[in-house]
Amino acid sequence: MFKRFGNRVAAAAVRSPRVGQGHQRIGRCRWTHSSSNGIAGQEATSTKETRASSVSAAEVEKFVRLSNEWWDPMGPFKYLHTMNGPRIRFVREILADLARLAPQGDRFSKPESKNNSSGSSRRGRAWIEGLTAVDVGCGGGLAAEALARLGMRVLGIDAARENIDMARAHAPRDLDNLRYAQTTAEELVAEQRQKGGAAADSLFDAVVSLEVIEHVADPVPFCRSLVELARPGGVVVVSTMNRTPLSFVVDVVLPEYLLGSVPRGTHDHSRFVPPDELRQIFRSLGAELLDTQGLILDPFSNTCHLAPADFGLLRNVGVQANYISAFRKSK
């Protein structure tokens, strides 16, 4: 994957400006933290004094009404099920490439493999099992469960209690590296500030937010919170929809009005975020782009695959509708 963007990974930690300040203090969230792994043993109770500025109550309500259908692969979230495999593959490849390039002793570094076959599968997962992730806007837990199955220690958060209840009900008992909490990214940041700063053991190696940003009230403070939740040198992965005529057809007209596979009004095309706009937002917040790929979704065959953003001289051809981007926070 990194062959497509050369030395961006190494450069990201050097070029990034300081993360923007001025985040509004909101809410309180009490956590029981284990400093050894970042999320183990977390159980959250949250007192919402005010709602985070990036949360749209109307958008949250859309998903509350559908919360019982998160795990129906042919229900209103069918396309999220379809995209989940490629999205998680992208996250894993980004982390694997960071591990390949990281110096020995770095959090992302992968231990050297041995020639003997005994325990090779276990050693092959060891590097990712040491990493922590937060899935922001986790819904019913589709991505959070998949990340936990990779071996990461995962915290899934969502503003809607109904979504968290569904995610917890579906979580397999054998996934003891998966936790859920009803809260928002902004509230986690506020909790860190109440503690007197962002302690390293309360931040995450990977911050993931998939098909969420197009539902927030303001993408800039939302992205700021994502960056603030990442460790220095950590990764932020966002998937969303480009604001183009093609995305209007593929993501609004076809699924909501012609096929009827998604409830009408689920998406507002004016809220979609172009890749260059997203890149500029994250750069202003101290995170440099690592990679962007298209999520080529065919609503007729219900299939999805990753594709390069550019095809030769044709720039952004692969990201005219759905896409996924990874950014790295400055160290």
Side-chain angles (χ1 to χ4, degrees), residues 18-267:
R18 186 182 179 89
V19 174
Q21 300 298 318
H23 175 71
Q24 183 180 1
R25 186 184 180 94
I26 48 93
R28 286 200 304 266
C29 187
R30 297 191 301 275
W31 295 86
T32 302
H33 248 297
S34 168
S35 60
S36 63
N37 62 29
I39 73 163
Q42 287 184 10
E43 290 298 336
T45 61
S46 114
T47 308
K48 309 293 193 301
E49 296 173 345
T50 59
R51 181 57 75 183
S53 61
S54 71
V55 171
S56 168
E59 292 294 306
V60 171
E61 181 59 29
K62 291 179 184 179
F63 295 95
V64 168
R65 292 196 297 265
L66 302 171
S67 59
N68 288 331
E69 303 186 67
W70 272 107
W71 287 95
D72 180 359
M74 300 307 294
F77 299 112
K78 65 183 292 184
Y79 297 129
L80 294 185
H81 284 265
T82 303
M83 291 193 292
N84 207 40
R87 296 186 310 183
I88 299 304
R89 191 178 312 119
F90 178 89
V91 174
R92 190 188 187 287
E93 288 177 357
I94 285 287
L95 295 176
D97 285 334
L98 284 174
R100 180 174 58 84
L101 297 177
Q104 206 63 30
D106 185 272
R107 284 191 61 82
F108 288 102
S109 63
K110 183 184 295 188
E112 295 182 7
S113 59
K114 298 180 181 180
N115 293 329
N116 62 307
S117 59
S118 175
S120 58
S121 175
R122 179 68 176 81
R123 280 197 307 275
R125 284 171 49 120
W127 66 275
I128 204 168
E129 288 177 349
L131 302 180
T132 58
V134 58
D135 181 10
V136 177
C138 66
L142 274 65
E145 276 197 24
L147 290 169
R149 290 193 182 281
L150 291 180
M152 303 182 75
R153 294 190 290 274
V154 180
L155 171 65
I157 66 172
D158 199 280
R161 168 59 62 186
E162 292 84 350
N163 289 342
I164 292 299
D165 288 344
M166 176 57 66
R168 284 175 172 159
H170 189 273
R173 293 183 179 179
D174 63 331
L175 283 182
D176 57 0
N177 56 327
L178 175 62
R179 298 288 185 271
Y180 289 107
Q182 182 200 3
T183 187
T184 67
E186 289 89 347
E187 287 163 349
L188 288 187
V189 172
E191 167 66 11
Q192 292 166 353
R193 293 187 175 188
Q194 287 178 343
K195 292 179 178 178
D201 62 5
S202 65
L203 299 177
F204 297 87
D205 299 303
V207 179
V208 177
S209 188
L210 309 177
E211 275 66 49
V212 174
I213 193 172
E214 67 271 17
H215 298 286
V216 304
D218 187 341
V220 176
F222 178 72
C223 290
R224 180 181 295 117
S225 296
L226 298 183
V227 173
E228 289 176 335
L229 286 174
R231 294 178 185 272
V235 174
V236 180
V237 178
V238 174
S239 63
T240 187
M241 304 157 186
N242 200 346
R243 193 166 59 243
T244 63
L246 180 62
S247 70
F248 181 68
V249 173
V250 171
D251 295 311
V252 180
V253 176
L254 280 176
E256 295 186 21
Y257 292 90
L258 297 183
L259 300 179
S261 50
V262 175
R264 291 187 180 186
T266 298
H267 297 107

